[in-house]
Amino acid sequence: MGKTITTTRAQESTNAIERMYITMRHLFNRGFYKPNGVSGEALKNALLQLRPEIYGSVGEDKAELSGLIYVLERLPEGIEQCRFISLTSDEGYGISHIHPIIPPKRRRNCYRIDNEQMNIEITRGRSDIYDILTHLTFLFIESEKICKRVLIPDTEKTIRDWTKLEAAVHKKELTQEEREIALIHTANILGRSFEEILEVYKKFSTKANPERFLKVIYWLGKLALEEEITGEKRAITFSTLLRERLGHHIHGEIWANNIKSVLSKQDLLQRPIHIISANMHSVMNSMFAKSALSKEFPKATDLEIYEALSSEENGHLRKKVTSLAEKNGMISIDDTSGTNIDVQIFDTAKIRKGASSYELPTADNHKKPVIFVMDYAFGEQAYETIDELLKPYNIKKNDESLINVDSVSIMGKAGILEGGKGDLMIPSAHIFEGTADNYPFKNELCAKDFEGHGLKVFEGTMVTVLGTSLQNKDILKFFHKSTWNVIGLEMEGVHYQKAIQSASKIRKSIGEDVKVRYAYYASDNPLETGSTLASGGLGTTGVKPTYLITDKILKQIFNS
């Protein structure tokens, strides 16, 4: 008799992720699925087997509250009330009378068609679909938990707590006493303490909708109850146009051509161009904030100025910096393609003496660098946008012009596997989760560049994951402790590098010697309890690493 072969939790988790993605792609090709049908159950079972860190106690009977906050910040308000959810392409809803709903933590247009239906526009590729379906699967699991706790077995009756919650939700306004009583009943339904429920209630509450948390729980339970009692099924559909268009770089091509048109009109296509994938403030602030705000901050350190600019109430200071930047050659291009990627172009030949914090090259104007800053892409969208951007540009018919790219720099947030929020990761290679695909490269940045600034710096391999919400400790421990030497996880690295390598090594649309720089700072440590993305934002912790990375990138560009 041979020995029984047992699989590890890491192997089971990897298998669960693979099953989820295969199922999602199958459902997309099929065009629809029901959350309580065979396919929907397959997704739920895979997610429950995986038990990702970000979804906390999703596999337990009690409700998962931090995961609920995380998910609903990335889905449109009111989605919990909708029995029908349709994923669509950009199909012209913008010209209708219906106002788009944009989730606070994901830039996507969503439209409440009627009381029962929510349409979500997909313009950023497959990663967007995976993200949405994963979050919806979590919601359906939590919805069923509520149903099981409030429905009395073998009857169509509900427990008293549910009746009281329903009465509270239908009241126009609640007194403090009524609110607390409703929260006590809700705590019993969710299997959580009153203290925990009160804390989450405050996070959900807004001026326009103070009782949002109670309504969310009620509607999650209500739709699951109706499905159980009356058989009224919920359904997820994918529009015909979305299924036809996905994977054809439609939005990326429009975005890239708009950008190259502006570069051509400004006579910048042949100038040395340095692409930076970053946020829309760090490069501009690094170059112009000190000069623009010299009166407001005569003796402040650079970091103090940046922290002030990151504060919500200082919009007037940000306007002042933007104004100086625009007077010194900055061109802002707001996205109209659907990619949700805005762009800033900095023509360093137009920067007046003393306006910038940096020593600029003294070369002839036609040799001075052009800094091209693009907002963050999302997952596979990174390949679509950079691949299209690096293609030759047709100025006229049969007249192609190559874009003169000297360097591509990628900075951003990532999950770290050793260290804490704000620490730095400098990759030497990217590997693609679920495959052995690997992309080693020469990184112009190294750990030594960042020493002496009070932050931990790690150098090694980064894993590009299919979705941050599908990682659990077992997989991450394997990556970290194995010979892959993984220091962190993110969603775009492989996709950026794939586009850069094909353009420089195969298609020859940019120089083979193009310089690449990658640096990330830690938004979370998914191996530490209480330090996942669901534990909240970085606050000012992210300011120092953001500007440190930006500074190193700009100094290398200007000194090259």
Side-chain angles (χ1 to χ4, degrees):
M1 290 286 287
K3 288 183 180 177
T4 304
I5 297 171
T6 57
T7 53
T8 65
R9 264 292 289 156
Q11 288 170 325
E12 288 171 2
S13 300
T14 301
N15 183 253
I17 290 176
E18 193 175 351
R19 284 207 319 277
M20 281 201 77
Y21 279 98
I22 290 170
T23 305
M24 286 178 192
R25 291 189 82 142
H26 162 70
L27 297 177
F28 173 74
N29 290 329
R30 181 175 145 198
F32 74 96
Y33 79 97
K34 292 184 173 73
N36 274 3
V38 175
S39 302
E41 289 297 332
L43 282 179
K44 284 186 279 192
N45 290 337
L47 193 66
L48 287 169
Q49 183 183 6
L50 188 60
R51 295 194 301 278
E53 297 309 307
I54 217 158
Y55 294 149
S57 58
V58 67
E60 299 173 26
D61 284 340
K62 62 184 179 182
E64 167 51 34
L65 300 177
S66 295
L68 187 65
I69 294 169
Y70 178 83
V71 163
L72 289 177
E73 283 178 336
R74 286 154 180 81
L75 292 174
E77 190 170 347
I79 195 164
E80 71 281 352
Q81 302 173 12
C82 297
R83 183 172 283 110
F84 304 103
I85 297 164
S86 181
L87 275 57
T88 73
S89 177
D90 179 357
E91 298 176 17
Y93 299 120
I95 60 172
S96 73
H97 70 284
I98 307 167
H99 292 291
I101 304 166
I102 301 170
K105 296 289 177 74
R106 281 283 185 270
R107 290 168 299 173
R108 48 173 74 111
N109 289 333
C110 310
Y111 299 89
R112 184 75 179 265
I113 304 302
D114 54 38
N115 288 339
E116 291 190 311
Q117 183 175 338
M118 181 74 76
N119 284 13
I120 303 175
E121 264 185 10
I122 304 293
T123 57
R124 300 194 293 172
R126 286 191 184 90
S127 296
D128 226 7
I129 293 176
Y130 299 153
D131 189 60
I132 290 164
L133 293 188
T134 306
H135 293 331
L136 287 176
T137 303
F138 167 83
L139 276 190
F140 296 139
I141 290 170
E142 292 300 309
S143 175
E144 283 180 18
K145 281 188 201 174
I146 297 168
C147 177
K148 283 176 185 173
R149 290 183 72 95
V150 302
L151 189 62
I152 298 168
D154 303 320
T155 72
E156 293 183 2
K157 294 180 180 179
T158 54
I159 61 173
R160 182 172 177 272
D161 292 299
W162 180 256
T163 310
K164 294 295 181 183
L165 172 61
E166 189 170 36
V169 165
H170 286 116
K171 276 198 170 184
K172 281 191 176 178
E173 202 172 330
L174 296 177
T175 64
Q176 183 64 21
E177 186 184 353
E178 287 171 334
R179 182 177 296 115
E180 287 179 358
I181 290 168
L183 289 171
I184 289 168
H185 289 299
T186 305
N188 194 37
I189 290 167
L190 300 181
R192 292 285 189 172
S193 70
F194 173 71
E195 191 177 14
E196 288 174 305
I197 294 295
L198 187 60
E199 190 181 330
V200 175
Y201 169 86
K202 289 173 184 172
K203 289 179 181 176
F204 271 96
S205 186
T206 62
K207 279 187 179 179
N209 192 0
E211 314 304 338
R212 189 183 171 210
F213 175 66
L214 294 175
K215 290 175 184 175
V216 164
I217 300 304
Y218 170 71
W219 279 101
L220 284 176
K222 179 179 166 64
L223 292 190
L225 280 168
E226 286 180 355
E227 190 158 349
E228 183 69 27
I229 295 167
T230 68
E232 290 191 55
K233 304 281 187 188
R234 288 167 287 183
I236 314 295
T237 57
F238 306 88
S239 78
T240 306
L241 272 178
L242 175 64
R243 289 155 67 204
E244 284 174 4
R245 290 174 175 176
L246 196 74
H248 295 297
H249 291 200
I250 288 167
H251 300 286
E253 185 179 18
I254 296 167
W255 175 83
N257 285 337
N258 287 346
I259 304 303
K260 286 186 273 196
S261 170
V262 173
L263 289 169
S264 178
K265 283 173 187 171
Q266 298 292 326
D267 201 22
L268 300 175
L269 277 176
Q270 300 311 313
R271 292 263 296 279
I273 294 171
H274 299 268
I275 298 168
I276 304 176
S277 172
N279 51 60
M280 287 287 99
H281 54 78
S282 59
V283 172
M284 178 178 68
N285 290 346
S286 295
M287 290 175 71
F288 298 108
K290 200 165 185 180
S291 179
L293 304 176
S294 56
K295 288 180 182 175
E296 288 84 352
F297 299 95
K299 295 180 181 177
T301 64
D302 289 358
L303 185 59
E304 286 169 339
I305 295 171
Y306 301 145
E307 284 181 347
L309 285 166
S310 70
S311 180
E312 274 187 39
E313 62 265 22
N314 286 333
H316 63 291
L317 297 180
R318 290 191 288 275
K319 279 184 184 176
K320 203 168 178 186
V321 178
T322 304
S323 176
L324 181 66
E326 287 171 344
K327 287 172 186 172
N328 285 271
M330 183 183 85
I331 302 165
S332 296
I333 307 173
D334 293 333
D335 178 63
T336 55
S337 68
T339 60
N340 283 310
I341 297 177
D342 296 334
V343 165
Q344 292 167 334
I345 297 168
F346 298 86
D347 181 354
T348 60
K350 292 182 179 176
I351 298 177
R352 297 194 298 271
K353 195 173 181 180
S356 173
S357 306
Y358 290 88
E359 284 289 324
L360 300 175
T362 54
D364 294 338
N365 278 356
H366 70 278
K367 291 183 180 178
K368 285 186 177 176
V370 174
I371 312 292
F372 174 100
V373 182
M374 58 180 282
D375 209 345
Y376 297 120
F378 185 70
E380 287 184 19
Q381 188 191 33
Y383 176 75
E384 177 178 337
T385 49
I386 292 291
D387 183 58
E388 291 296 332
L389 184 66
L390 299 182
K391 284 180 182 176
Y393 178 58
N394 289 310
I395 298 173
K396 294 175 186 173
K397 199 174 182 181
N398 301 322
D399 183 13
E400 283 189 342
S401 177
L402 298 180
I403 178 169
N404 184 21
V405 177
D406 265 22
S407 73
V408 182
S409 303
I410 312 297
M411 62 168 279
K413 294 183 286 190
I416 198 166
L417 301 184
E418 189 179 331
K421 289 186 178 185
D423 288 337
L424 301 175
M425 291 156 278
I426 313 299
S428 53
H430 286 105
I431 59 173
F432 199 15
E433 180 183 45
T435 71
D437 295 356
N438 54 85
Y439 297 80
F441 52 87
K442 183 186 181 298
N443 195 343
E444 296 295 317
L445 298 170
C446 65
K448 281 185 181 177
D449 294 330
F450 299 93
E451 287 174 357
H453 293 277
L455 297 170
K456 290 180 185 175
V457 190
F458 299 90
E459 207 162 2
T461 308
M462 297 284 286
V463 60
T464 298
V465 297
L466 293 159
T468 52
S469 22
L470 288 181
Q471 307 311 308
N472 68 17
K473 285 184 181 177
D474 305 291
I475 297 176
L476 299 177
K477 279 176 184 172
F478 166 75
F479 277 135
H480 188 45
K481 291 180 179 177
S482 71
T483 52
W484 284 111
N485 183 31
V486 170
I487 55 172
L489 61 144
E490 47 76 59
M491 279 185 68
E492 291 80 30
V494 158
H495 306 298
Y496 279 125
Q497 192 58 27
K498 194 162 55 171
I500 295 164
Q501 282 183 195
S502 63
S504 60
K505 311 284 186 196
I506 301 170
R507 291 174 161 181
K508 309 292 185 185
S509 56
I510 61 172
E512 200 166 342
D513 58 349
V514 62
K515 293 182 174 68
V516 293
R517 304 179 188 90
Y518 288 89
Y520 301 93
Y521 62 93
S523 57
D524 64 301
N525 184 334
L527 286 178
E528 285 183 12
T529 304
S531 293
T532 67
L533 283 171
S535 66
L538 277 163
T540 55
T541 311
V543 175
K544 185 176 181 178
T546 297
Y547 284 94
L548 182 58
I549 294 169
T550 306
D551 180 61
K552 297 300 177 186
I553 290 171
L554 289 175
K555 280 179 178 169
Q556 282 199 8
I557 290 170
F558 293 139
N559 294 332
S560 63

